[in-house]
């Protein structure tokens, strides 16, 4: 079991509110990723769950038990740190077994569990070594092993892959997902890396300035970002965000900005409202017969299988992403098309997502509870 309920959690450091009224339910067996930029409060929230930081306000529950004031060692949670925090003078075997020795478990049980965990993490050959005789990835696995051996209610991990090189990161990512599948435990995983979040999470909770911006599956937060913050944080390059105005011609509505005139299809917003128009780079099609955007290519980046073209459109910079070759070169004029279904609209000041007019129920869903409805027709 490992169900975690966080209720209106707030943590301040002097004038800084590191975690600001976060309410979040983490189901048993989830791989929940806390994602956000540096300083947004991810580590503080995780440390509060672990009991390493005391909340100023709010409440924490683990499997229905109030743990808000329970000391860390009695919380049945295991934490894995970015720095590994291994004991340098102890062998791998003794590092992994440490939590069990500290709990005075029988020798036989310790040996059995350490052997099992070492096997699962492919550390058997390394059990006699000291941490300094290991690579970064191997140290990371020892740190994981030390968390695993206790069989805790949930695993809390703070950027555990950030010291690894790109290749090892990718393979360890895969190993973690496998491990999660096998253990069926609850993982709460902190990262500022959107690729880690998108590839590993069952759900992503995105934090900004200590506040929860959105919680959803990777697909939900990518396809329906609740705010310009989320839209601009996910994706590489992130969603293009352009100030525009909704105008009408006959019964048709358009989003207009310098060198942009895009039919809005079924999107319902009051004409003459200011909006922020959002378009994913991969949804822009060059060389289309019905372009809505005209610009000049400034730079083309080769990503291997794909290319990204950065274009000037009016006063905006717009990224286009597609299979290589895109057929664009710096200095070229470019005409871009996009399907109305792939347009996102956000409120110009609050940044919240605007709803479709013909949504069956314009009432906010829990996932998008902060969606702006003020400019609906
Ligand atoms: N012990 C502390 N004393 C004072 N301020 C702190 C302390 N710990 C964190 N903060 C502040 O709280 C805010 C949130 O910090 P936190 O470490 O949770 O961010 P983070 O999202 O984990 O960032 P990073 O991605 O850089 O690790 C920051 O403004 C930070 O400076
Ligand atoms: Mg941190």
């Amino acid at each position: 079991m490992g169900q975690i309920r966080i209720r209106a959690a707030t943590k301040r450091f002097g004038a800084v509110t590191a975690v600001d009224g976060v309410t979040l339910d983490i189901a048993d067996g989830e791989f929940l990723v806390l994602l956000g930029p540096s300083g947004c409060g991810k580590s503080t929230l995780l440390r509060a769950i672990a009991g390493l930081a005391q909340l100023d306000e709010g409440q924490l529950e683990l499997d229905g038990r109030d743990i808000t004031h329970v000391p860390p060692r009695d919380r049945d949670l295991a934490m894995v740190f970015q720095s590994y925090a291994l004991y340098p003078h102890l062998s791998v075997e003794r590092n992994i077994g440490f939590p069990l020795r500290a709990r005075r478990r029988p020798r036989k049980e310790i040996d059995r569990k350490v052997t099992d965990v070492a096997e699962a993490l492919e550390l058997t050959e390394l059990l006699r070594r000291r941490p300094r005789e290991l690579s970064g990835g191997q140290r990371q696995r020892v740190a994981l092993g030390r968390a695993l051996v206790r069989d805790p209610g949930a695993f809390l991990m703070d950027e555990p892959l950030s010291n690894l090189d790109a290749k090892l990161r990718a393979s360890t990512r895969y190993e973690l997902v496998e491990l999660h599948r096998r253990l069926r435990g609850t993982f709460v995983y902190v990262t500022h890396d959107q690729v880690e979040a998108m590839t590993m999470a069952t759900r992503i909770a995105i934090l900004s300035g200590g506040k929860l911006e959105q919680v959803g599956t990777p697909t939900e937060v990518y396809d329906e970002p609740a705010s310009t913050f989320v839209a601009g944080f996910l994706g590489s390059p992130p969603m293009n965000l352009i100030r525009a105005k909704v105008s009408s011609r006959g019964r048709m509505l358009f989003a207009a900005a310098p060198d942009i005139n895009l039919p809005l299809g079924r999107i319902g917003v009051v004409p003459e409202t200011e909006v922020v128009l959002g378009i994913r780079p991969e949804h822009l099609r060059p060389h289309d017969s019905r372009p809505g955007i005209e610009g000049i290519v400034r730079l083309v980046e080769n990503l291997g299988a794909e290319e990204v073209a950065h274009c000037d459109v009016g006063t905006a910079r717009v990224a286009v992403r597609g299979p290589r070759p895109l057929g664009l070169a710096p200095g070229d004029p470019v005409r871009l098309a996009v399907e109305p279904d792939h347009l996102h609209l956000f409120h110009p000041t609050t940044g919240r997502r605007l709803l479709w007019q013909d949504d069956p129920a314009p009432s906010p869903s829990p996932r998008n509870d902060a969606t702006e409805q003020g400019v609906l027709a």
Side-chain angles (χ1 to χ4, degrees):
M1 286 289 280
Q3 183 196 44
I4 300 168
R5 297 186 75 185
I6 304 165
R7 286 283 164 278
T10 296
K11 174 70 185 175
R12 295 184 200 93
F13 296 105
V16 178
T17 305
V19 176
D20 195 353
V22 170
T23 291
L24 179 62
D25 280 323
I26 305 170
D28 187 30
E30 262 202 273
F31 196 134
L32 184 107
V33 172
L34 294 172
L35 177 69
S38 184
C40 73
K42 306 179 294 290
S43 294
T44 305
L45 181 56
L46 195 76
R47 291 171 58 81
I49 298 172
L52 301 172
Q54 276 295 312
L55 289 178
D56 293 303
E57 285 160 37
Q59 199 197 352
L60 291 165
E61 273 180 27
L62 179 65
D63 294 329
R65 180 169 76 115
D66 188 336
I67 55 162
T68 316
H69 303 291
V70 170
R73 63 190 314 273
D74 298 328
R75 288 193 182 196
D76 190 26
L77 300 164
M79 181 114 170
V80 182
F81 297 93
Q82 173 183 347
S83 59
Y84 319 138
L86 300 177
Y87 300 104
H89 58 290
L90 297 183
S91 66
V92 168
E93 182 173 18
R94 291 182 69 79
N95 262 289
I96 295 177
F98 189 86
L100 298 179
R101 282 202 306 282
R103 282 171 180 70
R104 305 196 181 286
R105 305 306 303 165
R107 176 80 192 268
K108 259 198 171 145
E109 179 192 330
I110 298 176
D111 286 347
R112 182 172 50 79
K113 286 198 164 164
V114 170
T115 307
D116 285 355
V117 165
E119 203 155 294
L121 294 172
E122 291 177 32
L123 290 168
T124 309
E125 309 290 304
L126 308 173
L127 281 172
R128 308 249 157 264
R129 293 204 200 167
R130 300 278 157 91
R132 69 181 140 75
E133 297 162 329
L134 302 174
S135 73
Q138 291 165 338
R139 282 179 213 177
Q140 188 54 64
R141 279 185 292 176
V142 177
L144 267 173
R146 198 176 48 187
L148 278 175
V149 80
R150 273 183 43 203
D151 206 5
F155 297 92
L156 311 178
M157 305 185 198
D158 195 349
E159 312 234 14
L161 307 188
S162 58
N163 289 345
L164 309 184
D165 65 42
K167 194 163 165 233
L168 199 53
R169 253 170 181 242
S171 60
T172 314
R173 232 162 48 208
Y174 174 79
E175 280 174 22
L176 273 176
V177 171
E178 276 291 304
L179 197 65
H180 176 252
R181 210 193 330 255
R182 258 189 289 138
L183 294 173
R184 297 170 198 276
T186 306
F187 284 28
V188 185
Y189 185 103
V190 162
T191 184
H192 61 268
D193 181 334
Q194 51 151 329
V195 177
E196 281 182 21
M198 291 295 290
T199 52
M200 296 197 293
T202 52
R203 282 195 310 156
I204 303 176
I206 296 151
L207 288 168
S208 163
K211 289 196 163 76
L212 202 54
E213 282 277 324
Q214 187 174 10
V215 190
T217 65
T219 311
E220 283 167 350
V221 294
Y222 190 84
D223 289 352
E224 281 182 58
S227 64
T228 47
F229 178 85
V230 176
F233 196 75
L234 295 173
S236 175
M239 187 181 280
N240 296 298
L241 296 169
I242 306 155
R243 286 209 158 245
K245 199 168 187 167
V246 176
S247 63
S248 58
R249 208 179 313 141
R251 296 187 56 189
M252 288 287 285
L253 288 175
F254 293 81
D259 293 327
I260 298 181
N261 196 24
L262 290 165
L264 286 178
R266 67 191 188 93
I267 301 173
V269 269
V270 182
E272 311 308 324
T273 39
E274 302 278 338
V275 293
V276 173
L277 177 65
I279 311 170
R280 291 258 175 231
E282 64 270 30
H283 289 149
L284 283 163
R285 286 196 318 268
H287 321 297
D288 197 274
S289 57
R290 292 172 295 120
I293 299 177
E294 297 195 8
I296 302 284
V297 180
R298 290 298 173 208
L299 173 75
V300 179
E301 294 172 320
N302 179 351
L303 305 182
E306 292 189 311
E307 275 182 341
V308 174
H310 299 271
C311 311
D312 283 344
V313 175
T315 52
R317 189 42 86 82
V318 170
V320 183
R321 178 176 172 158
R324 187 166 64 94
L326 274 176
L328 298 174
D332 284 354
V334 64
R335 308 170 76 172
L336 302 163
V338 55
E339 293 297 327
D341 280 356
H342 286 147
L343 296 176
H344 305 255
L345 296 183
F346 301 94
H347 192 278
T349 49
T350 66
R352 306 308 299 188
R353 181 183 194 83
L354 302 172
L355 287 172
W356 306 133
Q357 182 184 29
D358 54 0
D359 268 355
S363 64
S365 66
R367 161 164 60 83
N368 283 341
D369 55 358
T371 301
E372 195 72 46
Q373 296 181 79
V375 295
L376 283 178

